[in-house]
Amino acid sequence: MTCYDLTGNKADLDESIRHQEENLSVCPIGYLGRSVTLNGLGIALLTWYEHTTNVVDIDESVRYQREKLFISPIGHPNRSVALNNHGIALHARHKKTGKIFDLDDTIEYHRENLCLCPISYSERQFALNYLGSALMPRYDLTGNKVDLDESICHQQENLTICPIGHSGRWLALNNLGIALRDRRLAAEHGGVMDTIINAGSYAIETQQLPLAVELLERGRGVMFNSSRVIEQLQTNSRQSTSYQQIVSARRARNWDANLDEIHQLKGFESFLRATPFATLQQAAISGPIIMVNINKYCSAAIIVQETGGPQCVHLSEAAPRTTTNLPEPQESNQILTEILREIWGVMVGLIVQRLENRAVEGEVEHLMTVHEESLLIRRLPMQVTIVEGNDCTKETVLASLRNTSLVHFACHGKQHRTEPFNSQFSLRGGDNPLTLINIIQNGLPRAELAVFAAFHSAEGDRATPDETIHLAAGILFAGFRSIVRTIGAMTDEDGSVIAEAFYRHMLRNGPADVDCRDMAKALSMDAKGLRRRKVPLERWIDHVHYDI
């Protein structure tokens, strides 16, 4: 290991691992030297994993560090080292697998280690840094501000014991700056959204339902406000001069004067203003719209129909608790089913009852093979352009999007939680993914209908559930009128069945008479087809339709 540390030669690291594995084999459980070998082998495998990114290597590192911790009980002189190294290995595995329980364990081990490092102890700065650095990604995942505040507290203490000139000061400054920035953004966002939601609750309680609809719609689209969008474009595209030009152009204009002029144009009276209820109501032409507002003051749903005033459905007092204790995607089907039943009881069932509709049955899953999907698209009774394989690059897709009214994505999608405009589609050709900001910049002059068979294409962010900035919503913002796809991911076996039923209904009158307003019904027929096949609940429940 010493030679590797000096030269970076992987052959030295590989040889070190082989020798330590042999040494461990001759150090049985209970042997005094086994603890040292476990620690050295765990560190070496973690270093090897940084080269290979093979999850097997990090699993082995975690296993050895776990055994090292097991034979270093409370009071053992080596427990601090064991806690620290096991926490580091678990954090590395969390970054690879995304499993939050590894992150939870990481935090607990680093917390215990911090307790074993008094203020005068030289290793305390590392314990503070490791704990603060583990708390931040959990805050990103859960939105729990307690983790953010604790991380800031530890990073501030770390900075006090790293004076100017200290080798660790730059890292302490960097981590503290990131944490403080996130707290400021959380405070700004939380304040705006809390105000909007509370105002909507007050309007509901005072029976001002049209006003409540206007307020909640304004809040739902807060991130689509033009100033926020341009700030996102500027932040996420520093290397693109076109975005710099957009921002510069906006600053050069007399913004208020231009808005006043726009408001004089027919059809633009509400541009960048709260949209009047009468205008919002027109969106219900194809069926009722349900707006749900849940907070500690008032939990209610508002039903907006094409004619008449909005109707209020007061939800169960348990709604806030139920909707904030949703399971992780990895949870079992049984737990998911129980949660969905509870949501039905406190919210969905009450709304359906008011609509005098039948109770909806349920079941979901995720994506289909691209080859089968491509064959299906080729057989459609309309002219199609297929972009696939190595030809499927960012440039070719963007060029095709400019010339199409209907687009079908059959690829993986990944949401970027902290920078939603960098959410992306993975493409087979080339090394560059297709990001949401690429599509927005590209322009979609003929856009009408988008269909997604993409993993995680419509999964929102727990930290900003009211803004719904994900791939599907972003494509709507880019110019498409209607979108269909899944919240999670679709299984291979369901994809062909769903796509075939959907397009059969949409094209039943020929390609010249495709009506985006038929999408909701087509999607409903898809779900019924899956239920007739007796597929599990989680394989059809998350197919969703977005429309503007």
Side-chain angles (χ1 to χ4, degrees):
M1 281 295 293
T2 302
C3 288
Y4 169 77
D5 292 337
L6 292 173
T7 66
N9 190 338
K10 287 177 62 178
D12 293 331
L13 179 59
D14 185 31
E15 185 176 354
S16 173
I17 292 173
R18 285 189 282 107
H19 290 321
Q20 292 190 75
E21 286 176 335
E22 182 179 352
N23 189 30
L24 187 65
S25 67
V26 297
C27 293
I29 295 175
Y31 184 74
L32 291 177
R34 185 173 178 86
S35 176
V36 175
T37 304
L38 285 167
N39 186 60
L41 185 53
I43 293 173
L45 282 166
L46 177 58
T47 306
W48 185 256
Y49 161 76
E50 292 171 355
H51 289 287
T52 66
T53 67
N54 188 335
V55 72
V56 174
D57 296 323
I58 191 62
D59 284 341
E60 287 290 286
S61 176
V62 168
R63 182 168 67 87
Y64 291 133
Q65 295 293 0
R66 183 185 298 117
E67 184 182 343
K68 161 77 173 176
L69 182 60
F70 180 76
I71 61 178
S72 304
I74 295 175
H76 193 283
N78 292 332
R79 184 164 179 83
S80 177
V81 173
L83 286 165
N84 182 67
N85 290 345
H86 192 23
I88 292 172
L90 284 169
H91 197 176
R93 187 166 71 177
H94 162 74
K95 292 178 180 178
K96 175 69 174 178
T97 65
K99 294 179 179 177
I100 195 168
F101 55 77
D102 277 343
L103 193 56
D104 291 337
D105 289 344
T106 297
I107 291 169
E108 291 309 308
Y109 291 138
H110 285 316
R111 276 198 183 121
E112 183 181 345
N113 184 36
L114 183 61
C115 293
L116 298 177
C117 299
I119 294 176
S120 59
Y121 192 50
S122 62
E123 297 298 310
R124 184 172 177 84
Q125 71 167 101
F126 300 109
L128 288 165
N129 179 62
Y130 285 132
L131 178 54
S133 298
L135 286 162
M136 283 303 298
R138 191 167 73 175
Y139 163 73
D140 291 337
L141 288 172
T142 66
N144 188 344
K145 294 180 183 178
V146 173
D147 286 337
L148 177 59
D149 290 339
E150 184 182 350
S151 176
I152 291 173
C153 180
H154 295 316
Q155 300 292 3
Q156 285 174 329
E157 182 184 346
N158 188 23
L159 189 62
T160 64
I161 60 179
C162 295
I164 296 175
H166 192 286
S167 60
R169 186 171 176 84
W170 71 270
L171 183 59
L173 284 167
N174 179 71
N175 291 343
L176 178 58
I178 292 172
L180 288 171
R181 179 205 64 188
D182 286 355
R183 183 160 69 179
R184 178 179 63 80
L185 292 174
E188 291 176 356
H189 172 265
V192 172
M193 291 310 302
D194 287 345
T195 300
I196 291 172
I197 292 173
N198 291 339
S201 297
Y202 177 79
I204 292 171
E205 288 294 293
T206 56
Q207 299 299 311
Q208 302 180 68
L209 297 184
L211 176 60
V213 172
E214 294 173 6
L215 288 169
L216 296 176
E217 173 61 20
R218 182 70 166 172
R220 188 184 68 85
V222 68
M223 210 166 186
F224 286 158
N225 179 281
S226 71
S227 61
R228 294 284 299 278
V229 170
I230 291 181
E231 288 168 8
Q232 286 280 351
L233 294 175
Q234 182 186 35
T235 300
N236 297 329
S237 305
R238 292 185 177 88
Q239 295 179 350
S240 174
T241 57
S242 60
Y243 294 118
Q244 304 285 351
Q245 293 166 358
I246 292 174
V247 177
S248 298
R250 174 180 171 179
R251 290 172 177 169
R253 299 191 200 106
N254 186 327
W255 184 249
D256 291 337
N258 285 340
L259 277 181
D260 289 341
E261 184 177 349
I262 291 171
H263 291 154
Q264 303 305 314
L265 300 175
K266 185 177 180 179
F268 289 87
E269 295 83 359
S270 300
F271 182 69
L272 292 184
R273 289 173 172 169
T275 307
F277 172 75
T279 302
L280 294 173
Q281 189 175 25
Q282 297 173 17
I285 189 172
S286 299
I289 295 173
I290 314 298
M291 303 185 74
V292 179
N293 183 65
I294 296 178
N295 73 348
K296 60 184 179 180
Y297 300 115
C298 172
S299 294
I302 301 176
I303 302 174
V304 179
Q305 295 181 301
E306 184 181 3
T307 60
Q311 303 173 49
C312 178
V313 180
H314 287 283
L315 307 179
S316 167
E317 294 181 356
R321 174 184 57 80
T322 301
T323 54
T324 54
N325 292 317
L326 298 178
E328 293 294 322
Q330 297 87 359
E331 296 281 9
S332 68
N333 291 345
Q334 181 180 357
I335 294 175
L336 177 61
T337 302
E338 292 172 358
I339 291 290
L340 291 173
R341 284 199 182 105
E342 189 170 356
I343 292 176
W344 176 270
V346 303
M347 180 169 60
V348 179
L350 299 173
I351 297 170
V352 171
Q353 185 177 10
R354 175 62 66 88
L355 291 169
E356 298 181 343
N357 226 341
R358 290 187 306 170
V360 184
E361 307 164 349
E363 304 206 25
V364 153
E365 220 185 67
H366 307 119
L367 186 68
M368 84 183 209
T369 59
V370 174
H371 177 67
E372 290 181 355
E373 203 157 351
S374 175
L375 292 177
L376 172 66
I377 299 300
R378 291 177 191 277
R379 292 197 299 267
L380 293 177
M382 60 188 301
Q383 182 178 355
V384 297
T385 300
I386 303 293
V387 182
E388 61 183 354
N390 293 331
D391 293 332
C392 190
T393 64
K394 181 172 73 173
E395 292 73 20
T396 56
V397 171
L398 289 174
S400 297
L401 286 175
R402 287 192 291 269
N403 300 306
T404 188
S405 58
L406 189 158
V407 60
H408 185 107
F409 290 93
C411 60
H412 291 277
K414 181 180 180 182
Q415 176 180 307
H416 197 301
R417 292 184 179 276
T418 57
E419 297 178 351
F421 284 90
N422 281 334
S423 298
Q424 59 188 236
F425 295 102
S426 299
L427 305 179
R428 179 75 176 273
D431 298 325
N432 296 323
L434 178 65
T435 65
L436 182 53
I437 205 166
N438 294 147
I439 297 173
I440 293 173
Q441 181 189 19
N442 182 61
L444 303 168
R446 300 180 58 194
E448 287 287 336
L449 165 63
V451 178
F452 292 100
F455 283 101
H456 309 302
S457 62
E459 181 180 297
D461 188 344
R462 289 186 176 207
T464 55
D466 299 291
E467 293 184 352
T468 326
I469 298 296
H470 43 61
L471 285 170
I475 293 296
L476 272 180
F477 175 69
F480 279 94
R481 286 188 54 199
S482 296
I483 292 176
V484 165
R485 205 21 79 213
T486 58
I487 293 175
M490 180 168 44
T491 56
D492 290 352
E493 58 193 276
D494 293 338
S496 57
V497 175
I498 292 171
E500 186 172 1
F502 177 83
Y503 284 118
R504 186 190 313 118
H505 181 78
M506 293 296 295
L507 297 171
R508 67 191 185 282
N509 297 322
D513 291 325
V514 174
D515 190 341
C516 292
R517 292 175 295 180
D518 288 341
M519 290 182 68
K521 186 174 181 180
L523 189 62
S524 175
M525 295 175 66
D526 287 348
K528 290 177 181 178
L530 290 176
R531 297 207 304 274
R532 283 195 295 269
R533 295 173 56 228
K534 306 297 183 184
V535 301
L537 170 65
E538 72 279 4
R539 277 171 50 187
W540 65 262
I541 198 169
D542 65 353
H543 296 287
V544 291
H545 167 230
Y546 299 89
D547 205 327
I548 56 174

